[in-house]
Amino acid sequence: MQEYDVIVIGAGPAGLTATSYASRSNLKVLVLDKGIYGGQMNDTAEIENYTGFNSVLGADLSEKMYQSSMQFGAEYLYGKVIEVINEGKYKIIKTDIGDFKALVVVIASGATHARLDVDGEEKYAGRGVSYCAVCDGSFFKDENIVVVGGGDSAIEEAVYLSNLVKKVTIIHRRDKLKATSLLQERAFSNPKIEFNWNKVVKKITGDSNKVTAVILEDTKKGTETEIKTKGTFIYVGIKANTQGLDKLKITNSEGFIKTNSNMETSIPGIFAVGDVRENSIRQIASAVGDGSIAGKLLFEYIQGIV
Ligand code: NAP
């Protein structure tokens, strides 16, 4: 079994920052990610609230963070974590590419977009149902599309999509948005964005191949309406990527990991950082902050046990 000082699970901004700090302290570090580095930044077109950049493309910031974090000799492997086992001083990380052993595990596995769990959502995923405007928006040039949700993600992505498509209808279950006021102002003043308030998606319908419409239910009156559309972008919150961690008993009832302000979980040697952490404000800046705290303190932890 290959042995490391530190294994970082997840290569988003939190995991990459922890990697940078740990490997710069001369520790032997492995980063494991089941996808491309950068995490959710890859799903974001433009980032305007990360200090140092007026505006930066999500994919570009991912690349910059990856390059800078790997410069001190950390290894990177594509692999899906199946289970993390606490054996005291050592932690065993079972993955689909083999088993690894480490003194410290940093869980930076992030979060993914929640599903609506309605009829047609799964069937038409990738065929009109999308969770990534940057990836799929250009398929809907000159179409009328819908965006579901009222948080920062929904509004930010609706504004992005409005540059590509004919019209965006935002479907929200209340009559007030949850998104920050700057994003709200941008959406309200955008002539290509309309709002359909107090509606939930009941069903996504289509032909054998693609989405053709969404069926909405009015949350006040209970009436049903249909909007013809080829594209449905869903942004209704996020859920923690904590699969395989159940036995550690470090998550709350919603699956997010509980930590103290040092990013330590209740298990010595296991840290959690970024969006996967309970009470994270889920910003790139806060993820980087979490990663730096864990990356620094894990060095002290290792010095204390070896
Ligand atoms: P969010 O803030 O949890 O918002 C989810 C939205 O979806 C809410 O408006 C919610 O309605 C609605 N919703 C939830 N379940 C629903 C359902 N079953 N049917 C219909 N609507 C449903 O999620 P998010 O927008 O993905 O943001 C996640 C986190 O990332 C937040 O902390 C956010 O600030 C952060 N973020 C930040 C930025 C940025 O700073 N630029 C960008 C994106 C995300 P209610 O309002 O009625 O609850």
Side-chain angles (χ1 to χ4, degrees):
M1 199 186 299
Q2 285 189 68
E3 198 177 313
Y4 292 86
D5 295 319
V6 181
I7 291 184
V8 178
I9 302 172
L16 287 176
T17 305
T19 300
S20 173
Y21 275 70
S23 53
R24 197 160 173 264
S25 304
N26 266 342
L27 296 172
K28 189 178 178 201
V29 183
L30 170 67
V31 190
L32 285 167
D33 198 299
K34 62 179 164 54
I36 185 163
Y37 49 82
Q40 292 176 73
M41 292 192 295
N42 288 301
D43 299 345
T44 309
E46 250 181 287
I47 295 159
E48 292 178 327
N49 54 357
Y50 187 61
T51 313
F53 296 88
N54 289 359
S55 171
V56 57
L57 298 178
D60 288 351
L61 188 56
S62 300
E63 189 62 36
K64 284 182 198 300
M65 283 194 183
Y66 174 77
Q67 295 299 345
S68 65
S69 298
M70 302 307 285
Q71 67 178 312
F72 306 111
E75 291 171 48
Y76 187 97
L77 287 175
Y78 287 103
K80 187 175 173 194
V81 172
I82 294 163
E83 193 179 1
V84 176
I85 301 165
N86 175 28
E87 289 195 340
K89 183 175 173 185
Y90 285 99
K91 323 295 170 202
I92 309 299
I93 296 91
K94 291 184 167 289
T95 79
D96 61 354
I97 52 164
D99 295 352
F100 302 91
K101 193 175 176 184
L103 293 167
V104 163
V105 174
V106 179
I107 303 167
S109 45
T112 44
H113 290 296
R115 304 277 187 265
L116 276 173
D117 286 331
V118 295
D119 267 10
E121 183 179 17
E122 204 182 322
K123 179 173 177 188
Y124 294 109
R127 291 185 287 153
V129 172
S130 173
Y131 307 86
C132 179
V134 182
C135 323
D136 300 327
S138 55
F139 293 125
F140 301 96
K141 279 194 175 129
D142 303 319
E143 299 284 350
N144 295 330
I145 58 123
V146 301
V147 169
V148 187
D152 283 342
S153 301
I155 306 310
E156 198 166 77
E157 300 312 318
V159 171
Y160 168 76
L161 286 162
S162 72
N163 294 316
L164 301 174
V165 305
K166 193 166 151 198
K167 189 181 84 179
V168 179
T169 303
I170 295 177
I171 296 161
H172 185 37
R173 62 182 176 183
R174 295 187 289 138
D175 62 358
K176 282 189 179 59
L177 297 175
K178 185 180 174 187
T180 50
S181 43
L182 178 72
L183 290 174
Q184 292 199 25
E185 281 163 26
R186 284 185 188 165
F188 289 139
S189 62
N190 187 320
K192 287 168 85 178
I193 296 180
E194 283 182 4
F195 291 85
N196 203 332
W197 302 110
N198 301 316
K199 302 287 187 308
V200 287
V201 174
K202 225 180 150 196
K203 195 174 174 182
I204 299 165
T205 58
D207 55 26
S208 53
N209 226 349
K210 291 192 195 102
V211 168
T212 52
V214 288
I215 312 291
L216 307 180
E217 185 178 85
D218 191 296
T219 54
K220 305 230 170 226
K221 301 176 205 145
T223 48
E224 279 189 15
T225 46
E226 184 188 74
I227 298 186
K228 295 243 180 275
T229 182
K230 288 184 180 168
T232 305
F233 288 81
I234 299 170
Y235 292 102
V236 291
I238 59 168
K239 68 178 189 357
N241 295 330
T242 44
Q243 302 81 356
L245 304 179
D246 316 7
K247 287 186 190 151
L248 296 176
K249 301 206 182 311
I250 54 173
T251 53
N252 67 14
S253 56
E254 290 173 344
F256 290 89
I257 300 176
K258 295 188 259 185
T259 68
N260 61 17
S261 56
N262 288 343
M263 309 300 137
E264 294 162 318
T265 67
S266 54
I267 300 175
I270 300 187
F271 294 72
V273 293
D275 285 11
V276 76
R277 202 167 66 76
E278 181 183 64
N279 296 331
S280 162
I281 59 161
R282 292 173 200 132
Q283 303 290 304
I284 299 167
S286 60
V288 166
D290 286 5
S292 66
I293 293 169
K296 186 164 189 311
L297 298 182
L298 64 81
F299 181 71
E300 290 169 22
Y301 169 81
I302 289 175
Q303 281 189 319
I305 60 163
V306 290

